[in-house]
């Protein structure tokens, strides 16, 4: 019999637990201090604050608008300072280091190369700079005792018309650090089928892609992403809840689309705090991830934009532990789900699960078991 560890993990255990992150934007995760330094060095004078703590708060509050469109406006400042090779290398390296220090062992970090061309870089130079930064960050993390592997996802902006070009770029770099493709940006009015040529190209190339869908717009967006475009995963996908009915007696019935998503094991890249900010969910307790996890959808936990949401993988798990009483077993379930859904080869995913994730959780659980015996024998000595 496998034991179910009932304890609520502490913040320290959550941080030390191995975590896997599939949905994190490079331009949504800069350190506030880095933005300020890069802005000074580059003569960018439009930052709303020039002191790191205040700038961090400004991003969070500005992103707290309840609207995806207003949330996205804040990226003008981060993209503005990510236009040179040096800036991109630095931001990518710091991203890998910050994730590793937070206990993330595998991450797929996305960005839109087309948003980093203003100072004259080519698309290829952008990809190479970010790759160099990720490799540098992995090295720095290893030197300070953390292990992380970071793959890049290339995003095309859904309001623009460069998706095929970016898909070709992702394909060209698939053996050099880029593990897949994505589309992002305002969802309403920009359905995924606008970029069908890019998705069809990637399918012909046997390549992988995820699509932001079912975040600000509902079921039609998810349906198109899966049934027209053939997405391997859904970015957010939170609105799949609109196709699930819970009756007063607690019985649950799934519509055809929700059943398809669950039965086909389509990974949902859920980002709770981001969803609260853009109005896709009202509170952590009411976030659909609770029900979706119970119903065995292939749910994963993600950060989306650590800067705009003032979050980290550990914080997202802390919020969920608080809202749903999750245990280390639940955390491991989400983490294994995420690793299974990654875009790297199957044998490498399996090795991460068996050699890194499971042993990491086993160690944390064994600490808990020893604490239990210590507490029990202490109290039996006292009472005996
Ligand atoms: O949650 C999101 N939904 C849609 N688009 C997003 C989200 N977070 C970030 N983006 C956009 C803004 C970034 O500039 C772009 C590439 O990372 O992706
Ligand atoms: Zn996103």
């Amino acid at each position: 019999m496998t034991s179910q560890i009932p304890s609520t993990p502490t913040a320290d255990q959550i941080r030390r637990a191995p975590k896997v992150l599939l949905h994190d934007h490079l331009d949504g995760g800069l350190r506030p201090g880095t933005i300020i330094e890069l802005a000074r060095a580059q003569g960018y004078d439009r930052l709303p604050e020039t002191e790191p703590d205040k700038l961090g708060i400004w991003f969070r509050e500005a992103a707290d608008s309840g609207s995806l469109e207003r949330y996205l406006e804040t990226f003008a400042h981060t993209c503005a300072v990510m236009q040179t090779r040096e800036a991109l290398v630095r931001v990518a390296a710091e991203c890998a280091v910050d994730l590793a220090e937070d206990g993330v062992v595998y991450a797929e970090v996305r960005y839109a190369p087309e948003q980093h061309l203003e100072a004259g870089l080519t698309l290829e130079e952008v990809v190479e700079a970010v790759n160099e930064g990720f490799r540098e960050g992995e090295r720095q993390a290893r030197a300070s005792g953390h292990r992380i592997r970071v793959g890049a996802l290339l995003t095309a902006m859904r309001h623009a018309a460069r998706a095929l070009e970016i898909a070709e770029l992702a394909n060209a770099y698939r053996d050099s650090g880029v593990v897949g493709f994505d589309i992002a940006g305002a969802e309403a009015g920009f359905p995924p089928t606008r970029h069908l040529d890019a998705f069809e190209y990637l399918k012909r190339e046997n390549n992988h892609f995820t699509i932001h869908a079912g975040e600000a717009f509902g079921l039609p967006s998810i349906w198109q992403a899966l049934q027209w475009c053939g997405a391997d995963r859904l970015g957010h996908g939170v609105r799949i809840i609109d196709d699930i009915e819970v009756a007063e007696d607690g019985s649950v019935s799934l519509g055809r689309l929700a059943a398809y998503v669950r039965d086909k094991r389509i990974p949902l890249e859920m980002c709770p705090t981001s969803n609260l900010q853009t109005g896709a969910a009202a509170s952590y307790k009411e976030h659909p991830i609770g029900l979706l996890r119970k119903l065995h959808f292939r749910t994963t936990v993600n950060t989306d934009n650590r800067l705009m949401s003032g979050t980290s993988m550990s914080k997202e798990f802390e919020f969920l532990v608080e809202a749903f009483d999750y245990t280390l077993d639940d955390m491991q379930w989400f983490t294994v789900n995420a690793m299974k859904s990654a875009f790297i080869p199957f044998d490498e995913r399996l090795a991460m699960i068996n050699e890194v994730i499971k042993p990491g959780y086993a160690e944390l659980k064994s600490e808990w078991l020893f604490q239990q015996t210590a507490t029990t024998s202490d109290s039996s000595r006292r009472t005996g």
Side-chain angles (χ1 to χ4, degrees), residues 33-154:
T34 298
I35 302 175
I36 291 166
E37 281 180 33
L38 291 174
R40 276 206 193 110
Q42 300 171 9
Y44 178 73
D45 61 4
R46 289 197 225 139
L47 286 185
E49 297 286 349
T50 51
E51 198 266 306
D53 288 345
K54 285 188 182 158
L55 185 62
I57 293 169
W58 180 88
F59 271 105
R60 263 202 4 237
E61 289 180 349
D64 246 346
S65 59
S67 131
L68 176 61
E69 284 74 9
R70 303 237 329 261
Y71 178 93
L72 293 175
E73 286 169 15
T74 60
F75 288 81
H77 297 297
T78 53
C79 287
V81 300
M82 295 170 70
Q83 298 298 331
T84 64
R85 202 189 81 82
E86 295 70 28
L88 287 169
V89 173
R90 174 175 174 181
V91 168
E94 290 180 354
C95 167
V97 167
D98 291 351
L99 294 179
E101 283 179 356
D102 190 41
V104 175
V105 292
Y106 176 82
E108 291 179 0
V109 178
R110 64 190 76 195
Y111 62 98
E114 68 202 66
Q115 299 193 128
H116 305 278
L117 308 177
E118 281 165 25
L121 292 179
T122 62
L123 290 171
E124 288 76 12
E125 284 168 339
V126 171
V127 173
E128 284 164 27
V130 173
N131 281 349
E132 187 182 325
F134 285 150
R135 301 294 81 76
E136 173 59 28
E138 288 168 344
R139 272 194 297 276
Q140 285 178 22
R142 205 175 314 125
S144 60
H146 301 286
R147 284 185 311 175
I148 186 168
R149 177 169 170 187
V150 183
L153 297 178
L154 301 192

Side-chain angles (χ1 to χ4, degrees), residues 23-25 110 182 184 212 215 235-236 269 271 274 304-305:
H23 190 131
D24 186 81
H25 293 257
R110 64 190 76 195
D182 163 54
H212 275 78
E215 177 189 18
H236 298 281
E269 305 163 357
C271 311
S274 168
D304 209 11
N305 299 290

